[in-house]
Amino acid sequence: MLQVVILGFGNIGSNLCYTLHKATGVSVIQLFNRSDIALPDALQSIPFTSEISEIKEADIYIIAIPDDAIADFSSTLPFNDKMVVHTSGSLPMQALDGKNKKGVFYPLQTFTKDKKVNFNEIPICIEAEEKADLQLLETLGKRISNHVAQISSEDRKTLHLAAVFVNNFVNYMYHISEDILKENNLDFELLKPLIAETANKIRTLSPQQAQTGPAKRNDVKTIENHLHLLKDSPYKKVYEQMTEAIKKQYLK
Amino acid sequence: MLQVVILGFGNIGSNLCYTLHKATGVSVIQLFNRSDIALPDALQSIPFTSEISEIKEADIYIIAIPDDAIADFSSTLPFNDKMVVHTSGSLPMQALDGKNKKGVFYPLQTFTKDKKVNFNEIPICIEAEEKADLQLLETLGKRISNHVAQISSEDRKTLHLAAVFVNNFVNYMYHISEDILKENNLDFELLKPLIAETANKIRTLSPQQAQTGPAKRNDVKTIENHLHLLKDSPYKKVYEQMTEAIKKQYLK
Protein backbone atom coordinates (compact mmCIF):
# COMPACT_ATOMS: atom_id res chain seq x y z
CA MET A 1 0.00 0.00 0.00
CA LEU A 2 1.51 3.31 -1.14
CA GLN A 3 1.18 5.92 1.57
CA VAL A 4 0.71 9.42 0.26
CA VAL A 5 0.46 12.84 1.90
CA ILE A 6 -1.11 15.62 -0.16
CA LEU A 7 0.10 19.11 0.61
CA GLY A 8 -2.38 21.73 -0.56
CA PHE A 9 -6.09 21.55 -1.33
CA GLY A 10 -6.46 23.87 -4.34
CA ASN A 11 -7.65 22.90 -7.82
CA ILE A 12 -5.02 20.19 -8.37
CA GLY A 13 -4.68 19.07 -4.76
CA SER A 14 -8.40 18.52 -4.28
CA ASN A 15 -8.77 16.62 -7.56
CA LEU A 16 -5.76 14.42 -6.74
CA CYS A 17 -7.15 13.87 -3.28
CA TYR A 18 -10.48 12.55 -4.57
CA THR A 19 -8.79 10.29 -7.10
CA LEU A 20 -6.00 8.88 -4.95
CA HIS A 21 -8.42 8.34 -2.05
CA LYS A 22 -10.54 6.05 -4.24
CA ALA A 23 -7.58 4.32 -5.95
CA THR A 24 -6.70 0.76 -4.97
CA GLY A 25 -3.23 0.21 -3.53
CA VAL A 26 -2.96 3.83 -2.43
CA SER A 27 -3.75 5.39 0.91
CA VAL A 28 -3.95 9.14 1.37
CA ILE A 29 -2.86 9.11 4.98
CA GLN A 30 -2.96 12.86 5.47
CA LEU A 31 -4.00 16.09 3.87
CA PHE A 32 -2.19 19.30 4.72
CA ASN A 33 -3.42 22.78 3.93
CA ARG A 34 -2.02 26.03 5.28
CA SER A 35 -5.47 27.29 6.18
CA ASP A 36 -8.25 25.27 7.74
CA ILE A 37 -10.72 23.83 5.26
CA ALA A 38 -14.10 22.15 5.50
CA LEU A 39 -13.43 18.70 4.05
CA PRO A 40 -16.19 17.41 1.76
CA ASP A 41 -18.07 14.30 2.97
CA ALA A 42 -16.23 11.95 0.61
CA LEU A 43 -12.89 12.92 2.16
CA GLN A 44 -13.91 13.12 5.84
CA SER A 45 -11.94 9.98 6.65
CA ILE A 46 -8.61 11.56 5.65
CA PRO A 47 -6.74 13.05 8.63
CA PHE A 48 -6.23 16.77 8.13
CA THR A 49 -3.65 19.17 9.49
CA SER A 50 -2.72 22.79 8.94
CA GLU A 51 0.52 22.43 10.96
CA ILE A 52 3.67 21.65 9.01
CA SER A 53 5.23 20.13 12.11
CA GLU A 54 2.45 17.54 12.28
CA ILE A 55 3.01 16.07 8.83
CA LYS A 56 3.18 12.27 9.04
CA GLU A 57 5.64 9.81 7.57
CA ALA A 58 4.72 8.60 4.06
CA ASP A 59 6.15 7.11 0.85
CA ILE A 60 5.37 10.11 -1.32
CA TYR A 61 4.64 13.75 -0.54
CA ILE A 62 2.73 15.61 -3.23
CA ILE A 63 3.05 19.40 -3.17
CA ALA A 64 0.06 21.02 -4.86
CA ILE A 65 0.42 24.72 -4.09
CA PRO A 66 1.04 27.81 -6.28
CA ASP A 67 4.31 27.69 -8.29
CA ASP A 68 5.82 30.71 -6.56
CA ALA A 69 5.51 29.10 -3.14
CA ILE A 70 6.84 25.63 -3.94
CA ALA A 71 10.61 26.26 -3.45
CA ASP A 72 10.23 27.91 -0.05
CA PHE A 73 7.60 25.47 1.13
CA SER A 74 9.72 22.45 0.21
CA SER A 75 12.57 23.82 2.33
CA THR A 76 10.34 24.11 5.40
CA LEU A 77 9.25 20.46 5.36
CA PRO A 78 10.30 18.90 8.72
CA PHE A 79 11.91 15.74 7.34
CA ASN A 80 14.76 14.53 5.07
CA ASP A 81 15.44 11.92 2.39
CA LYS A 82 11.78 11.39 1.56
CA MET A 83 10.24 11.40 -1.92
CA VAL A 84 8.80 14.87 -2.48
CA VAL A 85 7.17 15.79 -5.77
CA HIS A 86 5.52 18.90 -7.11
CA THR A 87 2.65 19.00 -9.59
CA SER A 88 3.60 22.07 -11.62
CA GLY A 89 3.80 22.14 -15.39
CA SER A 90 6.24 25.01 -15.62
CA LEU A 91 8.58 24.60 -12.65
CA PRO A 92 11.75 22.51 -13.02
CA MET A 93 12.24 19.58 -10.68
CA GLN A 94 15.29 21.37 -9.30
CA ALA A 95 13.10 24.05 -7.73
CA LEU A 96 12.51 21.59 -4.88
CA ASP A 97 14.77 21.72 -1.83
CA GLY A 98 17.68 19.27 -1.90
CA LYS A 99 17.19 17.80 1.56
CA ASN A 100 14.56 15.43 0.15
CA LYS A 101 14.44 13.25 -2.97
CA LYS A 102 13.07 15.38 -5.78
CA GLY A 103 10.42 14.46 -8.28
CA VAL A 104 7.58 15.71 -10.44
CA PHE A 105 4.06 14.32 -10.72
CA TYR A 106 2.32 16.58 -13.25
CA PRO A 107 -1.17 15.65 -14.41
CA LEU A 108 -1.54 17.34 -17.79
CA GLN A 109 -5.08 18.57 -17.38
CA THR A 110 -7.11 21.63 -16.37
CA PHE A 111 -8.61 21.48 -12.92
CA THR A 112 -11.28 23.51 -11.21
CA LYS A 113 -12.47 22.78 -7.71
CA ASP A 114 -16.12 22.63 -8.71
CA LYS A 115 -15.68 19.95 -11.33
CA LYS A 116 -14.23 16.54 -10.56
CA VAL A 117 -12.16 15.07 -13.35
CA ASN A 118 -11.72 11.44 -14.38
CA PHE A 119 -7.98 10.71 -14.34
CA ASN A 120 -8.05 7.54 -16.48
CA GLU A 121 -6.95 9.19 -19.73
CA ILE A 122 -4.97 12.08 -18.24
CA PRO A 123 -1.25 11.90 -19.02
CA ILE A 124 0.72 11.93 -15.79
CA CYS A 125 4.17 13.35 -16.52
CA ILE A 126 6.71 12.03 -14.05
CA GLU A 127 10.33 12.88 -13.35
CA ALA A 128 12.84 11.88 -10.68
CA GLU A 129 16.60 11.81 -10.13
CA GLU A 130 16.90 8.15 -9.21
CA LYS A 131 15.55 5.20 -11.12
CA ALA A 132 13.92 3.68 -8.03
CA ASP A 133 12.08 6.92 -7.37
CA LEU A 134 10.92 7.07 -10.94
CA GLN A 135 9.51 3.56 -10.58
CA LEU A 136 7.74 4.58 -7.40
CA LEU A 137 6.11 7.51 -9.19
CA GLU A 138 5.20 5.28 -12.10
CA THR A 139 3.50 2.84 -9.74
CA LEU A 140 1.55 5.67 -8.16
CA GLY A 141 0.61 7.17 -11.53
CA LYS A 142 -0.63 3.85 -12.90
CA ARG A 143 -2.99 3.52 -9.95
CA ILE A 144 -5.04 6.41 -11.32
CA SER A 145 -4.17 6.75 -15.03
CA ASN A 146 -3.52 4.58 -18.08
CA HIS A 147 -1.08 7.13 -19.37
CA VAL A 148 2.08 7.68 -17.33
CA ALA A 149 5.02 9.20 -19.21
CA GLN A 150 8.54 10.08 -18.16
CA ILE A 151 9.06 13.69 -19.24
CA SER A 152 12.09 15.89 -18.59
CA SER A 153 11.74 19.33 -17.00
CA GLU A 154 12.58 20.90 -20.34
CA ASP A 155 9.97 18.94 -22.29
CA ARG A 156 7.43 19.56 -19.55
CA LYS A 157 7.97 23.31 -20.01
CA THR A 158 7.18 23.01 -23.72
CA LEU A 159 4.13 20.86 -22.98
CA HIS A 160 2.92 23.45 -20.51
CA LEU A 161 3.38 26.24 -23.05
CA ALA A 162 1.43 24.26 -25.65
CA ALA A 163 -1.22 23.54 -23.01
CA VAL A 164 -1.67 27.27 -22.42
CA PHE A 165 -2.66 27.66 -26.08
CA VAL A 166 -5.21 24.81 -26.13
CA ASN A 167 -6.61 25.53 -22.69
CA ASN A 168 -6.22 29.10 -21.40
CA PHE A 169 -6.30 30.80 -24.78
CA VAL A 170 -9.06 28.56 -26.10
CA ASN A 171 -11.15 29.28 -23.02
CA TYR A 172 -10.55 32.98 -23.59
CA MET A 173 -12.00 32.55 -27.11
CA TYR A 174 -15.10 31.10 -25.43
CA HIS A 175 -15.14 34.13 -23.14
CA ILE A 176 -14.97 36.57 -26.07
CA SER A 177 -17.66 34.69 -27.92
CA GLU A 178 -20.01 34.68 -24.92
CA ASP A 179 -19.42 38.41 -24.46
CA ILE A 180 -20.23 39.21 -28.10
CA LEU A 181 -23.46 37.22 -27.87
CA LYS A 182 -24.47 38.76 -24.52
CA GLU A 183 -24.11 42.24 -25.92
CA ASN A 184 -26.60 41.29 -28.61
CA ASN A 185 -28.95 39.40 -26.28
CA LEU A 186 -28.14 36.09 -27.93
CA ASP A 187 -27.80 32.85 -25.98
CA PHE A 188 -24.34 31.28 -25.62
CA GLU A 189 -26.12 27.90 -25.46
CA LEU A 190 -26.51 28.14 -29.24
CA LEU A 191 -22.74 27.72 -29.64
CA LYS A 192 -22.24 24.77 -27.31
CA PRO A 193 -22.68 22.04 -29.95
CA LEU A 194 -20.13 23.88 -32.12
CA ILE A 195 -17.67 24.11 -29.23
CA ALA A 196 -18.07 20.39 -28.55
CA GLU A 197 -17.63 19.41 -32.20
CA THR A 198 -14.59 21.67 -32.68
CA ALA A 199 -12.82 19.84 -29.85
CA ASN A 200 -14.18 16.48 -30.94
CA LYS A 201 -12.81 16.82 -34.49
CA ILE A 202 -9.27 16.88 -33.15
CA ARG A 203 -9.57 13.27 -32.02
CA THR A 204 -9.51 12.12 -35.63
CA LEU A 205 -8.36 15.06 -37.78
CA SER A 206 -5.21 17.11 -37.50
CA PRO A 207 -5.82 20.81 -36.71
CA GLN A 208 -4.66 21.57 -40.24
CA GLN A 209 -7.33 19.29 -41.76
CA ALA A 210 -9.96 20.67 -39.41
CA GLN A 211 -9.27 24.35 -40.11
CA THR A 212 -12.14 26.14 -41.84
CA GLY A 213 -13.50 29.67 -41.84
CA PRO A 214 -13.20 33.06 -43.55
CA ALA A 215 -9.51 33.58 -42.70
CA LYS A 216 -8.43 30.25 -44.18
CA ARG A 217 -10.55 30.87 -47.30
CA ASN A 218 -9.45 34.52 -47.39
CA ASP A 219 -13.13 35.42 -47.65
CA VAL A 220 -12.54 39.17 -47.75
CA LYS A 221 -16.21 40.18 -47.62
CA THR A 222 -17.01 38.16 -44.52
CA ILE A 223 -13.86 39.36 -42.77
CA GLU A 224 -14.86 42.96 -43.53
CA ASN A 225 -18.35 42.34 -42.21
CA HIS A 226 -16.97 40.88 -39.00
CA LEU A 227 -14.59 43.78 -38.49
CA HIS A 228 -17.48 46.14 -39.08
CA LEU A 229 -19.54 44.32 -36.42
CA LEU A 230 -16.57 44.59 -34.03
CA LYS A 231 -16.12 48.29 -34.76
CA ASP A 232 -15.72 49.58 -31.19
CA SER A 233 -15.02 46.27 -29.52
CA PRO A 234 -11.81 45.51 -27.60
CA TYR A 235 -11.92 42.15 -29.38
CA LYS A 236 -11.35 43.68 -32.80
CA LYS A 237 -7.57 43.46 -32.34
CA VAL A 238 -7.79 39.80 -31.43
CA TYR A 239 -9.89 39.11 -34.53
CA GLU A 240 -7.46 40.99 -36.77
CA GLN A 241 -4.38 39.26 -35.42
CA MET A 242 -5.87 35.77 -35.52
CA THR A 243 -7.08 36.33 -39.07
CA GLU A 244 -3.68 37.61 -40.19
CA ALA A 245 -1.90 34.69 -38.53
CA ILE A 246 -4.21 32.10 -40.10
CA LYS A 247 -3.92 33.73 -43.52
CA LYS A 248 -0.14 33.79 -43.28
CA GLN A 249 -0.10 30.09 -42.41
CA TYR A 250 -2.66 28.76 -44.88
CA LEU A 251 -2.41 31.07 -47.89
CA LYS A 252 1.30 30.66 -48.52
CA MET B 1 -43.41 13.95 -47.44
CA LEU B 2 -41.24 17.07 -47.81
CA GLN B 3 -39.41 17.00 -51.12
CA VAL B 4 -36.00 18.59 -51.00
CA VAL B 5 -33.35 19.32 -53.60
CA ILE B 6 -29.83 19.93 -52.33
CA LEU B 7 -27.70 22.22 -54.45
CA GLY B 8 -24.01 21.71 -53.77
CA PHE B 9 -22.08 18.81 -52.27
CA GLY B 10 -19.36 20.53 -50.23
CA ASN B 11 -18.88 20.30 -46.45
CA ILE B 12 -22.38 21.49 -45.55
CA GLY B 13 -24.21 20.04 -48.56
CA SER B 14 -22.82 16.56 -48.08
CA ASN B 15 -23.57 16.52 -44.35
CA LEU B 16 -27.13 17.79 -44.96
CA CYS B 17 -27.54 15.20 -47.68
CA TYR B 18 -26.64 12.30 -45.40
CA THR B 19 -28.92 13.55 -42.64
CA LEU B 20 -31.96 14.53 -44.70
CA HIS B 21 -31.72 11.31 -46.69
CA LYS B 22 -32.11 9.31 -43.49
CA ALA B 23 -34.75 11.56 -41.91
CA THR B 24 -38.37 10.40 -41.79
CA GLY B 25 -40.89 12.54 -43.63
CA VAL B 26 -38.22 14.00 -45.91
CA SER B 27 -37.18 12.89 -49.35
CA VAL B 28 -34.04 14.21 -51.00
CA ILE B 29 -35.34 13.89 -54.53
CA GLN B 30 -32.26 15.28 -56.23
CA LEU B 31 -28.72 16.38 -55.64
CA PHE B 32 -27.12 19.01 -57.86
CA ASN B 33 -23.44 19.79 -58.05
CA ARG B 34 -21.72 21.92 -60.67
CA SER B 35 -19.06 19.32 -61.24
CA ASP B 36 -19.60 15.58 -61.43
CA ILE B 37 -19.02 13.71 -58.18
CA ALA B 38 -18.71 10.10 -57.16
CA LEU B 39 -21.66 9.63 -54.80
CA PRO B 40 -20.86 7.53 -51.73
CA ASP B 41 -22.70 4.21 -51.41
CA ALA B 42 -25.16 5.49 -48.82
CA LEU B 43 -26.39 8.18 -51.23
CA GLN B 44 -26.41 6.17 -54.48
CA SER B 45 -30.21 6.14 -54.58
CA ILE B 46 -30.42 9.95 -54.83
CA PRO B 47 -30.72 11.16 -58.44
CA PHE B 48 -27.80 13.38 -59.34
CA THR B 49 -27.40 16.14 -61.91
CA SER B 50 -24.78 18.69 -62.82
CA GLU B 51 -27.14 20.52 -65.18
CA ILE B 52 -29.04 23.47 -63.73
CA SER B 53 -31.72 23.04 -66.40
CA GLU B 54 -32.47 19.53 -65.14
CA ILE B 55 -33.33 20.52 -61.59
CA LYS B 56 -36.64 18.94 -60.54
CA GLU B 57 -39.69 20.39 -58.84
CA ALA B 58 -39.54 20.28 -55.02
CA ASP B 59 -40.88 21.89 -51.84
CA ILE B 60 -37.55 23.31 -50.71
CA TYR B 61 -34.28 24.02 -52.50
CA ILE B 62 -31.24 24.16 -50.27
CA ILE B 63 -28.27 26.08 -51.65
CA ALA B 64 -25.02 24.88 -50.07
CA ILE B 65 -22.27 26.54 -52.09
CA PRO B 66 -19.60 29.17 -51.24
CA ASP B 67 -21.02 32.50 -50.00
CA ASP B 68 -19.62 34.50 -52.91
CA ALA B 69 -21.45 32.39 -55.47
CA ILE B 70 -24.89 32.24 -53.80
CA ALA B 71 -26.41 35.48 -55.20
CA ASP B 72 -25.50 34.73 -58.82
CA PHE B 73 -26.38 31.08 -58.58
CA SER B 74 -29.83 31.82 -57.12
CA SER B 75 -30.58 34.09 -60.09
CA THR B 76 -29.77 31.31 -62.58
CA LEU B 77 -32.25 28.81 -61.11
CA PRO B 78 -34.73 27.86 -63.87
CA PHE B 79 -37.96 28.29 -61.86
CA ASN B 80 -40.00 30.89 -59.92
CA ASP B 81 -42.01 31.21 -56.71
CA LYS B 82 -40.37 28.23 -55.06
CA MET B 83 -38.91 28.13 -51.56
CA VAL B 84 -35.15 28.63 -51.92
CA VAL B 85 -32.87 28.81 -48.86
CA HIS B 86 -29.18 29.26 -48.36
CA THR B 87 -27.12 27.76 -45.54
CA SER B 88 -24.68 30.57 -44.91
CA GLY B 89 -23.96 32.07 -41.50
CA SER B 90 -22.81 35.42 -42.74
CA LEU B 91 -24.94 36.17 -45.80
CA PRO B 92 -28.27 38.03 -45.39
CA MET B 93 -31.42 36.35 -46.65
CA GLN B 94 -31.79 39.21 -49.13
CA ALA B 95 -28.72 38.02 -51.03
CA LEU B 96 -31.02 35.49 -52.71
CA ASP B 97 -32.67 36.39 -56.00
CA GLY B 98 -36.22 37.76 -55.67
CA LYS B 99 -37.85 35.53 -58.26
CA ASN B 100 -38.20 32.79 -55.66
CA LYS B 101 -39.32 32.80 -52.02
CA LYS B 102 -36.29 33.55 -49.89
CA GLY B 103 -35.22 31.76 -46.78
CA VAL B 104 -32.27 30.69 -44.65
CA PHE B 105 -31.54 27.25 -43.22
CA TYR B 106 -28.27 27.67 -41.31
CA PRO B 107 -27.00 24.74 -39.24
CA LEU B 108 -24.74 26.32 -36.61
CA GLN B 109 -21.96 23.78 -36.73
CA THR B 110 -18.56 23.10 -38.28
CA PHE B 111 -18.56 20.60 -41.11
CA THR B 112 -15.84 18.68 -42.83
CA LYS B 113 -16.52 16.18 -45.56
CA ASP B 114 -14.55 13.44 -43.87
CA LYS B 115 -16.49 13.51 -40.63
CA LYS B 116 -20.22 12.97 -40.47
CA VAL B 117 -21.99 14.98 -37.82
CA ASN B 118 -25.04 14.12 -35.73
CA PHE B 119 -27.59 16.90 -36.27
CA ASN B 120 -29.77 16.18 -33.21
CA GLU B 121 -28.33 18.92 -31.01
CA ILE B 122 -27.26 21.33 -33.75
CA PRO B 123 -29.18 24.61 -33.70
CA ILE B 124 -30.82 25.16 -37.09
CA CYS B 125 -31.28 28.91 -37.57
CA ILE B 126 -34.18 29.59 -39.91
CA GLU B 127 -35.48 32.73 -41.55
CA ALA B 128 -38.15 33.47 -44.18
CA GLU B 129 -40.25 36.38 -45.40
CA GLU B 130 -43.65 34.72 -45.06
CA LYS B 131 -45.03 32.95 -42.03
CA ALA B 132 -46.05 29.88 -44.03
CA ASP B 133 -42.51 29.53 -45.39
CA LEU B 134 -41.11 29.85 -41.91
CA GLN B 135 -43.37 27.01 -40.79
CA LEU B 136 -42.21 24.90 -43.71
CA LEU B 137 -38.57 25.45 -42.73
CA GLU B 138 -39.39 24.71 -39.10
CA THR B 139 -41.00 21.43 -40.12
CA LEU B 140 -37.94 20.50 -42.14
CA GLY B 141 -35.55 21.54 -39.34
CA LYS B 142 -37.41 19.50 -36.74
CA ARG B 143 -37.02 16.39 -38.86
CA ILE B 144 -33.29 16.44 -38.17
CA SER B 145 -32.74 18.56 -35.05
CA ASN B 146 -34.28 19.20 -31.62
CA HIS B 147 -33.18 22.78 -31.79
CA VAL B 148 -34.75 24.95 -34.51
CA ALA B 149 -34.66 28.70 -33.86
CA GLN B 150 -35.95 31.66 -35.83
CA ILE B 151 -33.01 34.05 -36.15
CA SER B 152 -32.87 37.32 -38.08
CA SER B 153 -30.14 37.99 -40.65
CA GLU B 154 -28.61 40.51 -38.26
CA ASP B 155 -28.49 38.14 -35.30
CA ARG B 156 -27.20 35.37 -37.53
CA LYS B 157 -24.27 37.61 -38.50
CA THR B 158 -23.39 38.09 -34.83
CA LEU B 159 -23.73 34.36 -34.18
CA HIS B 160 -21.43 33.64 -37.08
CA LEU B 161 -18.84 36.11 -35.79
CA ALA B 162 -18.97 34.49 -32.34
CA ALA B 163 -18.71 31.09 -34.00
CA VAL B 164 -15.49 32.13 -35.73
CA PHE B 165 -13.93 32.72 -32.30
CA VAL B 166 -14.97 29.37 -30.78
CA ASN B 167 -14.32 27.35 -33.91
CA ASN B 168 -11.82 28.80 -36.40
CA PHE B 169 -9.68 30.62 -33.84
CA VAL B 170 -9.88 27.79 -31.33
CA ASN B 171 -8.80 25.32 -34.00
CA TYR B 172 -5.91 27.62 -34.83
CA MET B 173 -4.84 27.44 -31.18
CA TYR B 174 -4.75 23.65 -31.62
CA HIS B 175 -2.66 24.16 -34.74
CA ILE B 176 -0.15 26.36 -32.91
CA SER B 177 0.06 23.92 -30.04
CA GLU B 178 0.67 20.95 -32.33
CA ASP B 179 3.36 22.92 -34.14
CA ILE B 180 5.16 23.83 -30.91
CA LEU B 181 5.15 20.20 -29.80
CA LYS B 182 6.27 18.89 -33.19
CA GLU B 183 9.27 21.20 -33.17
CA ASN B 184 10.30 19.62 -29.88
CA ASN B 185 9.47 16.04 -30.91
CA LEU B 186 6.63 15.83 -28.44
CA ASP B 187 3.38 14.03 -29.18
CA PHE B 188 0.21 16.10 -29.68
CA GLU B 189 -1.72 13.10 -28.32
CA LEU B 190 -0.58 14.17 -24.85
CA LEU B 191 -2.80 17.25 -25.08
CA LYS B 192 -5.98 15.58 -26.32
CA PRO B 193 -7.49 14.92 -22.88
CA LEU B 194 -6.85 18.57 -22.01
CA ILE B 195 -8.52 19.74 -25.23
CA ALA B 196 -11.54 17.55 -24.50
CA GLU B 197 -11.87 18.73 -20.91
CA THR B 198 -11.45 22.41 -21.84
CA ALA B 199 -14.46 22.14 -24.15
CA ASN B 200 -16.33 19.91 -21.74
CA LYS B 201 -16.06 22.39 -18.87
CA ILE B 202 -18.10 24.92 -20.83
CA ARG B 203 -21.17 22.70 -20.56
CA THR B 204 -21.46 23.47 -16.87
CA LEU B 205 -19.18 26.44 -16.11
CA SER B 206 -19.16 29.88 -17.70
CA PRO B 207 -15.92 30.70 -19.57
CA GLN B 208 -15.19 33.21 -16.82
CA GLN B 209 -15.40 30.51 -14.11
CA ALA B 210 -13.36 28.13 -16.23
CA GLN B 211 -10.52 30.55 -16.97
CA THR B 212 -7.19 29.53 -15.41
CA GLY B 213 -3.54 29.93 -16.35
CA PRO B 214 -0.55 32.25 -16.00
CA ALA B 215 -2.19 35.26 -17.66
CA LYS B 216 -5.23 35.21 -15.39
CA ARG B 217 -3.00 34.77 -12.31
CA ASN B 218 -0.52 37.32 -13.68
CA ASP B 219 2.18 34.73 -13.04
CA VAL B 220 5.03 36.90 -14.33
CA LYS B 221 7.73 34.25 -14.07
CA THR B 222 5.85 31.63 -16.08
CA ILE B 223 4.88 34.18 -18.73
CA GLU B 224 8.54 35.21 -19.05
CA ASN B 225 9.57 31.58 -19.36
CA HIS B 226 7.03 30.98 -22.08
CA LEU B 227 8.10 34.07 -24.03
CA HIS B 228 11.68 32.88 -23.71
CA LEU B 229 10.71 29.48 -25.13
CA LEU B 230 8.92 31.25 -28.01
CA LYS B 231 11.91 33.48 -28.68
CA ASP B 232 12.07 33.18 -32.47
CA SER B 233 8.62 31.75 -33.01
CA PRO B 234 5.96 33.42 -35.17
CA TYR B 235 3.57 32.45 -32.36
CA LYS B 236 5.22 34.78 -29.86
CA LYS B 237 2.99 37.67 -30.93
CA VAL B 238 -0.14 35.57 -30.49
CA TYR B 239 1.00 34.58 -26.99
CA GLU B 240 1.74 38.17 -26.05
CA GLN B 241 -1.54 39.53 -27.33
CA MET B 242 -3.67 36.81 -25.74
CA THR B 243 -1.86 37.25 -22.44
CA GLU B 244 -2.35 41.03 -22.50
CA ALA B 245 -6.02 40.67 -23.40
CA ILE B 246 -6.68 38.13 -20.61
CA LYS B 247 -4.79 40.26 -18.08
CA LYS B 248 -6.76 43.35 -19.06
CA GLN B 249 -10.01 41.47 -18.61
CA TYR B 250 -9.31 39.61 -15.40
CA LEU B 251 -6.93 41.85 -13.45
CA LYS B 252 -9.07 44.97 -13.46
Side-chain angles (χ1 to χ4, degrees):
Chain A
M1 185 71 90
L2 274 175
Q3 300 199 312
V4 172
V5 170
I6 295 174
L7 307 157
F9 197 71
N11 291 344
I12 298 185
S14 61
N15 268 285
L16 272 175
C17 209
Y18 280 108
T19 303
L20 289 170
H21 185 53
K22 279 186 311 188
T24 51
V26 180
S27 177
V28 180
I29 60 162
Q30 195 179 35
L31 172 62
F32 161 90
N33 196 63
R34 206 174 36 170
S35 58
D36 253 338
I37 42 173
L39 273 189
D41 285 352
L43 305 178
Q44 283 291 346
S45 63
I46 303 176
F48 174 83
T49 184
S50 58
E51 297 292 331
I52 288 195
S53 60
E54 285 177 7
I55 293 174
K56 293 185 194 168
E57 197 148 309
D59 298 312
I60 302 174
Y61 296 84
I62 301 178
I63 300 180
I65 64 174
D67 284 13
D68 293 351
I70 290 173
D72 278 354
F73 179 74
S74 71
S75 72
T76 63
L77 291 172
F79 48 76
N80 301 301
D81 295 325
K82 299 287 184 183
M83 184 74 223
V84 174
V85 300
H86 73 62
T87 53
S88 160
S90 56
L91 220 61
M93 178 170 67
Q94 298 304 335
L96 293 166
D97 191 275
K99 67 181 175 180
N100 283 295
K101 293 188 271 184
K102 299 168 192 170
V104 176
F105 193 83
Y106 169 53
L108 209 180
Q109 185 52 287
T110 172
F111 297 101
T112 22
K113 252 189 168 168
D114 311 331
K115 188 170 178 309
K116 277 179 235 168
V117 155
N118 176 359
F119 275 70
N120 273 350
E121 301 306 321
I122 299 178
I124 309 274
C125 306
I126 57 168
E127 191 180 4
E129 290 173 306
E130 305 291 332
K131 207 176 166 189
D133 298 332
L134 207 57
Q135 275 165 352
L136 186 68
L137 294 182
E138 194 180 359
T139 304
L140 180 67
K142 285 189 169 167
R143 291 290 178 186
I144 54 173
S145 167
N146 301 318
H147 198 158
V148 181
Q150 192 187 335
I151 304 273
S152 69
S153 284
E154 210 188 318
D155 281 348
R156 188 160 32 83
K157 248 194 212 173
T158 304
L159 273 174
H160 185 248
L161 168 64
V164 164
F165 279 92
V166 299
N167 170 244
N168 307 148
F169 293 172
V170 160
N171 188 73
Y172 185 58
M173 295 295 133
Y174 301 159
H175 176 125
I176 290 178
S177 179
E178 188 186 34
D179 233 29
I180 289 173
L181 294 185
K182 255 191 207 156
E183 250 180 53
N184 292 276
N185 295 313
L186 286 160
D187 190 356
F188 187 55
E189 284 296 318
L190 283 164
L191 290 186
K192 289 194 175 175
L194 176 62
I195 287 174
E197 175 64 10
T198 302
N200 198 31
K201 265 187 178 179
I202 290 304
R203 290 169 194 252
T204 50
L205 301 176
S206 75
Q208 198 149 353
Q209 290 171 310
Q211 191 70 48
T212 58
K216 190 199 168 183
R217 289 192 305 270
N218 197 16
D219 181 348
V220 179
K221 264 193 209 162
T222 303
I223 293 169
E224 267 174 21
N225 277 333
H226 285 168
L227 290 173
H228 181 73
L229 278 173
L230 287 168
K231 203 169 27 192
D232 304 318
S233 164
Y235 304 130
K236 191 178 179 183
K237 260 178 68 182
V238 176
Y239 186 97
E240 283 173 329
Q241 198 194 7
M242 285 298 128
T243 298
E244 276 319 302
I246 294 171
K247 276 165 64 175
K248 219 182 255 171
Q249 202 118 32
Y250 284 90
L251 305 173
K252 280 172 201 167
Chain B
M1 186 71 89
L2 275 175
Q3 300 199 314
V4 173
V5 170
I6 295 174
L7 308 157
F9 198 70
N11 291 344
I12 296 185
S14 62
N15 268 283
L16 272 175
C17 209
Y18 281 109
T19 302
L20 289 170
H21 186 54
K22 279 187 313 188
T24 51
V26 181
S27 176
V28 181
I29 60 161
Q30 195 179 36
L31 173 62
F32 162 90
N33 196 63
R34 207 174 36 169
S35 58
D36 253 339
I37 42 173
L39 274 190
D41 286 351
L43 305 180
Q44 284 291 347
S45 62
I46 303 177
F48 173 84
T49 184
S50 58
E51 296 292 331
I52 288 194
S53 61
E54 285 177 6
I55 293 175
K56 293 187 196 168
E57 197 147 309
D59 298 313
I60 302 173
Y61 296 85
I62 301 178
I63 301 180
I65 65 174
D67 285 11
D68 292 352
I70 289 173
D72 278 353
F73 178 75
S74 71
S75 72
T76 63
L77 291 172
F79 47 76
N80 301 300
D81 295 323
K82 297 286 184 184
M83 183 75 225
V84 174
V85 300
H86 73 62
T87 52
S88 159
S90 55
L91 220 61
M93 177 169 68
Q94 298 304 335
L96 292 167
D97 191 275
K99 69 181 173 178
N100 282 296
K101 292 187 273 185
K102 298 168 192 169
V104 176
F105 193 83
Y106 168 53
L108 209 181
Q109 186 52 289
T110 172
F111 298 100
T112 23
K113 250 187 169 168
D114 310 333
K115 189 171 177 308
K116 277 180 236 167
V117 155
N118 176 0
F119 275 70
N120 274 349
E121 301 306 322
I122 299 178
I124 310 274
C125 307
I126 58 168
E127 191 179 1
E129 289 173 308
E130 304 291 332
K131 208 175 165 189
D133 298 333
L134 207 56
Q135 274 166 353
L136 185 68
L137 295 182
E138 194 180 359
T139 304
L140 180 67
K142 284 189 169 166
R143 292 290 178 187
I144 56 173
S145 167
N146 301 319
H147 197 157
V148 181
Q150 191 187 337
I151 303 273
S152 70
S153 283
E154 211 189 317
D155 280 348
R156 188 161 33 82
K157 248 195 213 172
T158 305
L159 274 173
H160 185 249
L161 168 64
V164 164
F165 278 92
V166 300
N167 171 244
N168 306 148
F169 294 172
V170 160
N171 188 73
Y172 185 57
M173 294 295 131
Y174 301 159
H175 176 125
I176 291 178
S177 180
E178 188 185 36
D179 232 30
I180 289 172
L181 293 185
K182 255 191 206 155
E183 251 181 52
N184 292 277
N185 296 313
L186 286 160
D187 190 355
F188 186 55
E189 284 295 320
L190 283 164
L191 290 188
K192 289 194 176 175
L194 176 61
I195 287 174
E197 175 64 10
T198 301
N200 198 31
K201 264 189 179 179
I202 290 304
R203 289 169 195 253
T204 50
L205 301 176
S206 74
Q208 197 149 353
Q209 289 171 312
Q211 191 70 49
T212 57
K216 190 198 167 184
R217 289 193 305 271
N218 197 16
D219 181 348
V220 179
K221 263 192 210 161
T222 303
I223 293 169
E224 267 174 21
N225 277 333
H226 285 168
L227 289 174
H228 182 74
L229 277 174
L230 287 168
K231 204 168 28 195
D232 305 317
S233 164
Y235 303 130
K236 192 179 180 184
K237 259 179 69 182
V238 176
Y239 186 99
E240 282 173 329
Q241 197 195 9
M242 286 297 130
T243 297
E244 277 317 302
I246 294 172
K247 275 165 65 175
K248 220 183 256 173
Q249 201 119 33
Y250 284 90
L251 306 173
K252 280 173 200 168

